Amino acid sequence: MKKLTQTELDYILQQHSLWLQHQGGERAVLNNTDLSHLNLEGAVLHRANLTRTNFTNANLCDADMSDADITYAIFKEADLNNASFRDADLRNADFSYAQMPNVDLYRADFNNANLNDDAFNKPTIGNTIMTLRGSGKSECLAFH
């Protein structure tokens, strides 16, 4: 697994942003990459390939990982406050001890994902609407 520095990651994020805007650049392909302990606050990783990426102890506050392939990724002890995983594929991802208040999981697929009981406790969120991929129905959940 390749370990990136903050500078290398910032360059990849810049190129990905250009790619998303159809202004050159290239799609972020960070599969099998170690991004542990890095700052991804506000990062736009929409439609990125993040399969088996290690985000342990990373700051992902306000990150946009919507419509991304994030299968088998590791988010142990990561800060995911206000992160967006809309339409993301999170199957088999590990969220052990991650902080996940205000996370957008609309239509995210997190079958077999590892979520500990207190992931959503800070702050309390209620009436969160989540639509799981393939289920075709929305469910209103209250986390206490």
Side-chain angles (χ1 to χ4, degrees), residues 11-118:
Y11 177 77
I12 290 169
L13 293 173
Q14 179 185 35
Q15 292 300 303
H16 186 70
S17 178
L18 292 171
W19 178 78
L20 287 170
Q21 298 170 36
H22 306 289
Q23 296 179 357
E26 64 182 87
R27 180 181 183 212
V29 178
L30 296 167
N31 56 311
N32 294 307
T33 304
D34 184 355
L35 303 179
S36 61
H37 306 281
L38 293 182
N39 184 8
L40 289 100
E41 183 174 2
V44 178
L45 288 165
H46 172 71
R47 297 177 51 205
N49 181 342
L50 304 169
T51 304
R52 299 187 188 279
T53 302
N54 181 4
F55 294 102
T56 300
N57 283 306
N59 177 2
L60 291 150
C61 292
D62 299 307
D64 177 4
M65 291 174 276
S66 58
D67 204 26
D69 183 354
I70 317 174
T71 54
Y72 294 96
I74 302 167
F75 291 95
K76 288 182 180 177
E77 299 180 10
D79 188 348
L80 301 168
N81 188 23
N82 291 319
S84 176
F85 291 101
R86 280 184 171 245
D87 297 305
D89 189 347
L90 295 164
R91 287 175 295 157
N92 298 294
D94 185 353
F95 289 93
S96 299
Y97 305 102
Q99 297 303 307
M100 300 177 67
N102 305 314
V103 172
D104 183 352
L105 295 168
Y106 186 70
R107 289 192 312 247
D109 182 352
F110 52 98
N111 286 326
N112 298 319
N114 182 13
L115 290 162
N116 56 303
D117 292 339
D118 65 349

